[in-house]
Amino acid sequence: MKLYLDPGHGGSDPGAQGHGLNEKDITLDIALKLRDILLNEYQNVEIRMSRTGDTTKSLRQRTQEANAFGADFYLSIHINSAGSSAQGYEDYIYPGASSESKRVRDIIHAEVMKVNELRDRGKKQANFHVLRETKMPAVLTENGFISNAHDAALMKQSSWRQKVARGHANALAIAFGLKRKTVTTPVPTPAPKPGTLYKVMAGSFKARKNADEQVTQLRAKGFDAFVVTTTISGTTWYRVQVGAFSSRENADKHLTLVKKAGLTDSFIVVDDGGSSGNSKGSSPASPPRDNGGSSGTGSNSGSTGGAGNGQNENNGENSGNSPQPPSTQGFPILGPTILSPKQMNDFVKTVNPNAPELGNLYFTIGEYYGIRGDIAFAQALHETDFFRFTGIVQPSQNNYAGIGATGPDRSGATFETPEEGVIAHLQHLFAYATATPLPNQYPLVDPRFHLVERGSAPTWTDLNGKWAVPGTTYGQSILDLYKRMLRFSAQNLENLQKEIQS
């Protein structure tokens, strides 16, 4: 499905205003959330947005762009305004619109009304430009009245905007028969972090589908593989990663195993953790090629220096030896994520077989914020008793960090989705770890972010007496649990090495 997604207004046109809100901000946030849901959860979805930031674009530009794109459907997100007593949700199609527009509008209306907590004002028709000038079926939704106190109070809540996005996504999935993704591979956004990592790559591709096929083949051979992106000379490439090590020696050993398994074009990328987020290949810096097979950027014929063992970042789970666990003192919250999503998920299921698979979220979002996502995952296990929620926080709250949970009558914050819960957790850690501004890819969902003394706890043990009160060994408990995760993953990889070598 090709969707043209149009958050109303923007830039010099704020749209409707009321109760301290601008329509352009609300519509953009809902649209971005909707885009992420569709792209992350469904197959064969292509989305073009009229804007992804606070920019100005005319109605004519929007419809012309949608028509040139050849969209299957045009969806325009808006917020209403009238007298203070007017409230509720309504949606529009063009008078005399096609039966397809009516069909999709009916599904959208039903699904959005299930979740938006608004009064139903019905299905309507209007001679709006974006409905009239588009060549494809089109619907415009008005998601509450910014001029009404009840509706505006909801609009101020990130969880409500997420619900509205989810309602629209559910409707589009039903209307266009979208199929859910069976495997979600992480596409991390690089973030500054200290230390050097040696990442083993089993191919680099221009086409995402080729990278996904490579991942499937590697997993069938017993390797924990996933896709990461990189940009070379302005072009996006999809690399297949099968390991990350702070020791070059360990990376070389793993590369040998991968090549013995038939992936002869595998190579090592050196990530020095620089602020640019760029990595350096261990072979000549020629551009990668994509021939539809497992083509890489080069081989690992040379060496780029010493072993590079970090005091706390030796990726022992990929060495075949017992890992060197982190010290329980002074270990920073900011830094690279060592364990893969599968390693995190496999570990928690040794204790709780019914645990949700959140490894991908902690990996991806942790990479974005530059936080050690695998140790944050260990903290979530500590807080939730391995996602069994035996304390005051309930599973439905998606609160994996116990944010705001202070006693029997205060079970803490509730987040609409698991993703939002993980984002809140990592935002709260970011607030403690650094005083730098919060990156803006994700909206602020941590309700206690501004209550934290910024940068007051740069290490895990600094959280003692802050995250948990008195909690004099809180950080040590998290790191001890992380050691167990490393040992478990090391043993699994040692078994894989023995199997391949036999």
Side-chain angles (χ1 to χ4, degrees):
M1 179 194 70
K2 295 177 71 173
L3 171 67
Y4 191 87
L5 181 55
D6 175 26
H9 307 281
S12 60
D13 174 16
Q17 296 176 299
H19 294 91
L21 299 171
N22 292 319
E23 180 181 3
K24 66 176 183 178
D25 300 326
I26 307 300
T27 60
L28 179 60
D29 191 46
I30 292 172
L32 290 173
K33 292 178 186 296
L34 172 57
R35 178 200 63 181
D36 290 348
I37 293 171
L38 291 174
L39 293 180
N40 290 336
E41 299 182 12
Y42 294 96
Q43 303 176 31
N44 302 319
V45 177
E46 186 177 354
I47 298 175
R48 180 76 57 84
M49 293 184 66
S50 61
R51 62 185 182 97
T52 56
D54 188 18
T55 56
T56 304
K57 182 173 283 189
S58 70
L59 296 178
R60 183 181 179 188
Q61 286 176 310
R62 297 174 199 233
T63 54
Q64 286 183 340
E65 191 173 80
N67 292 336
F69 176 50
D72 299 311
F73 187 69
Y74 188 109
L75 176 62
S76 192
I77 306 292
H78 282 260
I79 301 296
N80 229 328
S81 181
S84 60
S85 61
Q87 63 181 114
Y89 169 85
E90 59 195 28
D91 41 41
Y92 290 84
I93 58 175
Y94 183 65
S98 67
S99 58
E100 179 67 2
S101 290
K102 294 178 182 178
R103 182 186 73 86
V104 179
R105 189 274 306 275
D106 289 347
I107 296 172
I108 290 175
H109 192 97
E111 291 301 314
V112 174
M113 281 306 305
K114 288 179 182 178
V115 298
N116 66 5
E117 305 173 53
L118 295 175
R119 174 186 170 188
D120 188 346
R121 293 174 59 88
K123 308 167 190 177
K124 301 184 178 183
Q125 299 182 3
N127 185 24
F128 294 144
H129 177 95
V130 296
L131 303 179
R132 182 183 67 247
E133 301 300 326
T134 43
K135 296 179 180 179
M136 69 291 300
V139 172
L140 183 148
T141 63
E142 293 277 8
N143 298 275
F145 282 75
I146 204 167
S147 50
N148 177 267
H150 169 269
D151 291 6
L154 291 174
M155 293 173 197
K156 293 179 180 180
Q157 302 173 21
S158 176
S159 60
W160 179 84
R161 300 191 298 272
Q162 184 72 34
K163 287 179 183 178
V164 172
R166 175 64 64 178
H168 283 79
N170 291 346
L172 293 173
I174 294 169
F176 293 95
L178 302 182
K179 294 182 179 180
R180 285 190 172 273
K181 292 182 178 179
T182 55
V183 177
T184 303
T185 54
V187 185
T189 302
K193 42 190 174 291
T196 298
L197 283 180
Y198 302 92
K199 298 179 178 181
V200 180
M201 302 293 178
S204 186
F205 307 85
K206 280 186 178 179
R208 175 59 185 260
K209 67 176 183 178
N210 292 339
D212 289 337
E213 289 172 1
Q214 185 84 311
V215 167
T216 300
Q217 294 175 17
L218 283 160
R219 288 177 175 173
K221 295 176 183 290
F223 290 97
D224 183 17
F226 51 91
V227 178
V228 295
T229 57
T230 189
T231 301
I232 301 174
S233 300
T235 300
T236 297
W237 293 83
Y238 299 96
R239 287 174 169 172
V240 178
Q241 183 171 322
V242 288
F245 309 83
S246 61
S247 162
R248 176 60 190 245
E249 180 182 0
N250 292 339
D252 287 339
K253 289 179 181 178
H254 196 58
L255 179 68
T256 300
L257 291 178
V258 176
K259 288 188 173 184
K260 283 183 177 180
L263 285 303
T264 56
D265 283 336
S266 299
F267 58 99
I268 288 177
V269 166
V270 182
D271 185 346
D272 60 9
S275 60
S276 65
N278 294 328
S279 300
K280 298 174 289 187
S282 63
S283 54
S286 57
R289 63 190 187 279
D290 180 32
N291 60 5
S294 59
S295 59
T297 61
S299 64
N300 179 43
S301 59
S303 173
T304 57
N309 289 313
Q311 64 169 346
N312 296 322
E313 293 179 19
N314 178 22
N315 194 10
E317 76 280 8
N318 286 333
S319 68
N321 302 312
S322 297
Q324 299 299 315
S327 163
T328 56
Q329 297 292 336
F331 197 62
I333 291 172
L334 299 180
T337 298
I338 300 299
L339 297 180
S340 72
K342 185 176 186 300
Q343 288 168 327
M344 292 184 238
N345 293 333
D346 286 351
F347 173 76
V348 67
K349 288 186 177 182
T350 63
V351 177
N352 177 13
N354 298 317
E357 294 194 350
L358 300 179
N360 179 52
L361 292 174
Y362 276 96
F363 182 96
T364 306
I365 302 169
E367 284 279 291
Y368 175 72
Y369 284 120
I371 289 172
R372 300 177 191 272
D374 44 7
I375 307 184
F377 186 85
Q379 184 185 21
L381 300 186
H382 179 75
E383 288 282 345
T384 64
D385 190 15
F386 289 79
F387 301 128
R388 291 178 294 195
F389 294 93
T390 54
I392 60 174
V393 179
Q394 299 302 304
S396 60
Q397 292 178 244
N398 295 315
N399 186 351
Y400 309 116
I403 296 173
T406 58
D409 57 343
R410 293 188 177 181
S411 60
T414 295
F415 304 102
E416 182 63 24
T417 64
E419 179 184 33
E420 187 174 292
V422 175
I423 292 171
H425 181 183
L426 293 170
Q427 287 177 345
H428 208 59
L429 282 171
F430 189 91
Y432 274 116
T434 176
T436 59
L438 186 71
N440 60 7
Q441 174 175 321
Y442 301 104
L444 178 62
V445 293
D446 171 20
R448 301 180 67 82
F449 184 88
H450 297 296
L451 300 179
V452 173
E453 182 184 348
R454 298 298 311 282
S456 61
T459 72
W460 294 95
T461 51
D462 287 334
L463 295 176
N464 296 349
K466 294 182 174 69
W467 200 292
V469 180
T472 54
T473 60
Y474 180 73
Q476 289 88 336
S477 297
I478 294 169
L479 292 174
D480 286 346
L481 186 51
Y482 182 55
K483 294 178 194 177
R484 289 173 53 189
M485 293 170 62
L486 289 177
R487 294 189 184 104
F488 169 81
S489 299
Q491 184 60 54
N492 279 355
L493 193 93
E494 184 176 358
N495 293 339
L496 172 62
Q497 290 173 329
K498 290 178 180 177
E499 181 179 342
I500 293 175
Q501 291 170 343
S502 63

